[in-house]
Amino acid sequence: MNLRHTYRYRLSMFFSVFVIVFYSLHINAANKTASTSGNWNSTTTWGGSIPTASDAVTINKDITVTVNVANAVCASLNINNNKAGTANITFLAASILTVSGIVKLSGSSSGQNGTLNMSDGGTLICNSFSLGSGTIVFNAGSGTIQLNATNTLPQSAAFSSFNTLIINSGTTTTPNSTITCNSLQINKNYSGTAKLVFNSNNATVKVNGTVTIGGNGNNSYVGQIVMSLGGLLDCNNIVLGNSTGPYLTSGSGTIHLNADNSLPLTIFNNLTIKKGTTTTTGPLTIWGKLTIGSAPGVGILAPQTNIVTVKGDWDYVNTINGFTETNSTVIFNGSTTQTIRNAGTFYNLSIDNTNPGTAVFLESNITIKNNLTFINGIIDTGNDTAFFESPALATGASNRSHIKGIAAKLTNGYETFDFPIGDGFHYRPIGIINPSASNVWSAKYTHQAYINTTSDKPSDTALINHISKVE
């Protein structure tokens, strides 16, 4: 037996099979060009067979191809053949085109224009978009764009407004500008993780409806929004498509809510309740600023019996009370001075701020309905007042945590109350014991000899009842 001959024979056979397979693939991976306007599924449009999933498709200038079926496919799509003029693709309602690669809109030079028209609806599924140098027209209409691979959305005003946008797999990075859509879903039906990443603090995604994170009740379809570099997500509400997180990496980003919603997420950086009532479904932590309301919108935060922890400022844009306190607890837990503006009523309020100076500064009166707990930090009331309703109490006050400024107390009959006051360094409480009449009592501590014995403020009409000269 001649082994060398057998080896050469087998190698020759392998090479022949390889050539046949390569030739077959080359034949199947054809270039399809639309030189006549018509429907996608018409052989006349393509001058022969309709495109397959392995075909690179080009729509020539001055040609309009209409996607009229739900099973249109190709490997890539060029909307203009680098010729002066306008190439067009139009979707009918319920039509679907799946492109396994890139969709390029317009040609490589000025005047080589491309139009993507989804005014009647339809779905375009692709990996990414590339914009040429010609004029680009994108009519989102009632259509759906689904992205199936890692990509960066183009930064172009002409390609910035979508109807339904689905980030189905991979990582989609926003441009360093604003995009808008009517609905946004992060992972519809991909077994894995899909992410929307905000490119910078200048990136804005404006959603006129709902943001859905995760897919259709299947915990394998994981969705995530990443705002590590900042950015703004402005939407009506957020819903979770499944029970698999993490759903949000809040980073230094900001989220605005514009409609009634039940908030499923628990950790944010900056959160603004611009309009509608936001009801929490569990503990809520704000690492940055909490803003309630917007001009001219009226927003309401209703935490029910949950805990709200705020590490930044608390701001009401409108003068009306936008916080429905119910039996909730609010904790100010920052490490720098936190400002409360235009605030209303808190049920339980806790101060646990590690700033050695002023922990919480008031730019408006606040009301405590049940209990004010001091752990760390000074409340400086400025020109305003911390008001305790009946039968609210204060607990835990000390040299390191008390009220610097005016505290007021409403008594209804017989109550005992110690005012948790001091000067920011010295805790010097003063108490009332069982006053028989209903009244409002106010107290302030000054760590110096007090000369004016008639009034704490020039505008006050009531005389001061008592000044202690005992330390």
Side-chain angles (χ1 to χ4, degrees):
M1 181 177 183
N2 191 331
L3 294 178
R4 182 175 300 177
H5 176 76
T6 302
Y7 174 77
R8 284 200 301 267
Y9 175 76
R10 289 178 179 176
L11 182 61
S12 175
M13 287 294 292
F14 171 78
F15 182 74
S16 299
V17 171
F18 174 79
V19 169
I20 292 170
V21 170
F22 179 81
Y23 179 77
S24 176
L25 289 175
H26 180 72
I27 293 298
N28 288 335
N31 294 319
K32 294 288 185 179
T33 301
S35 299
T36 300
S37 295
N39 290 332
W40 185 279
N41 69 339
S42 171
T43 56
T44 303
T45 303
W46 309 104
S49 60
I50 63 176
T52 67
S54 60
D55 292 335
V57 168
T58 298
I59 300 175
N60 281 348
K61 59 110 174 175
D62 301 328
I63 299 300
T64 298
V65 173
T66 301
V67 182
N68 63 322
V69 292
N71 59 350
V73 293
C74 64
S76 63
L77 175 63
N78 288 323
I79 306 174
N80 194 293
N81 59 329
N82 294 326
K83 301 292 183 181
T86 301
N88 308 274
I89 186 167
T90 298
F91 285 72
L92 299 184
S95 64
I96 301 174
L97 169 60
T98 300
V99 182
S100 58
I102 297 174
V103 173
K104 183 181 179 184
L105 260 169
S106 85
S108 57
S109 300
S110 176
Q112 300 171 1
N113 311 322
T115 296
L116 171 57
N117 183 7
M118 306 185 80
S119 58
D120 292 333
T123 299
L124 172 58
I125 301 171
C126 63
N127 285 357
S128 62
F129 287 92
S130 173
L131 304 185
S133 299
T135 299
I136 295 164
V137 176
F138 173 43
N139 185 347
S142 55
T144 296
I145 298 291
Q146 178 174 312
L147 297 168
N148 279 355
T150 294
N151 69 97
T152 297
L153 288 172
Q155 184 160 324
S156 168
F159 198 76
S160 61
S161 181
F162 303 84
N163 177 45
T164 297
L165 178 60
I166 301 172
I167 313 300
N168 203 50
S169 64
T171 296
T172 293
T173 302
T174 68
N176 194 26
S177 57
T178 299
I179 64 170
T180 63
C181 57
N182 291 325
S183 66
L184 172 65
Q185 182 162 7
I186 317 298
N187 202 331
K188 180 181 178 181
N189 56 11
Y190 169 69
S191 184
T193 299
K195 296 181 181 180
L196 175 65
V197 175
F198 283 70
N199 183 44
S200 74
N201 203 43
N202 295 321
T204 296
V205 177
K206 167 67 176 171
V207 183
N208 299 317
T210 298
V211 175
T212 303
I213 308 176
N216 302 338
N218 189 323
N219 288 337
S220 297
Y221 305 159
V222 180
Q224 186 178 5
I225 296 174
V226 179
M227 307 183 79
S228 301
L229 300 178
L232 169 62
L233 173 60
D234 186 292
C235 62
N236 282 0
N237 62 320
I238 298 171
V239 300
L240 304 182
N242 56 32
S243 58
T244 304
Y247 305 101
L248 172 67
T249 300
S250 57
S252 55
T254 298
I255 291 182
H256 290 176
L257 299 173
N258 293 306
D260 291 345
N261 69 94
S262 181
L263 191 62
L265 301 178
T266 59
I267 299 176
F268 297 84
N269 181 47
N270 299 318
L271 177 64
T272 298
I273 314 298
K274 292 179 67 176
K275 299 177 184 178
T277 297
T278 294
T279 303
T280 65
T281 58
L284 177 64
T285 298
I286 313 297
W287 283 90
K289 180 180 180 180
L290 174 63
T291 304
I292 302 175
S294 63
V298 176
I300 296 174
L301 176 61
Q304 304 180 95
T305 60
N306 295 309
I307 296 173
V308 179
T309 301
V310 181
K311 296 180 181 291
D313 292 346
W314 179 295
D315 193 2
Y316 289 119
V317 175
N318 306 101
T319 55
I320 68 167
N321 185 9
F323 182 64
T324 305
E325 73 281 354
T326 317
N327 293 324
S328 65
T329 297
V330 174
I331 302 172
F332 283 87
N333 186 224
S335 57
T336 59
T337 299
Q338 299 175 258
T339 301
I340 301 178
R341 300 180 182 92
N342 300 323
T345 300
F346 299 96
Y347 185 74
N348 292 320
L349 179 62
S350 180
I351 308 300
D352 188 12
N353 182 302
T354 58
N355 187 40
T358 299
V360 176
F361 184 79
L362 303 188
E363 290 189 1
S364 63
N365 297 329
I366 63 170
T367 298
I368 294 91
K369 200 168 185 178
N370 185 60
N371 191 70
L372 171 57
T373 301
F374 291 94
I375 301 172
N376 285 298
I378 305 298
I379 298 178
D380 188 338
T381 65
N383 295 320
D384 297 292
T385 300
F387 182 82
F388 293 81
E389 289 189 356
S390 176
L393 297 173
T395 58
S398 64
N399 285 336
R400 71 174 184 271
S401 190
H402 55 262
I403 292 174
K404 176 185 175 183
I406 299 174
K409 169 66 176 175
L410 170 65
T411 58
N412 289 325
Y414 294 95
E415 286 186 64
T416 297
F417 182 77
D418 288 331
F419 288 88
I421 55 176
D423 66 349
F425 300 97
H426 310 89
Y427 170 52
R428 296 296 184 264
I430 187 170
I432 52 177
I433 301 175
N434 296 330
S436 59
S438 297
N439 209 337
V440 175
W441 305 78
S442 297
K444 178 182 178 180
Y445 174 74
T446 302
H447 188 63
Q448 63 185 26
Y450 201 74
I451 299 173
N452 178 7
T453 59
T454 59
S455 176
D456 183 42
K457 294 181 181 178
S459 60
D460 289 344
T461 56
L463 297 180
I464 290 179
N465 179 270
H466 176 74
I467 294 177
S468 170
K469 296 181 180 180
V470 179
E471 279 291 328

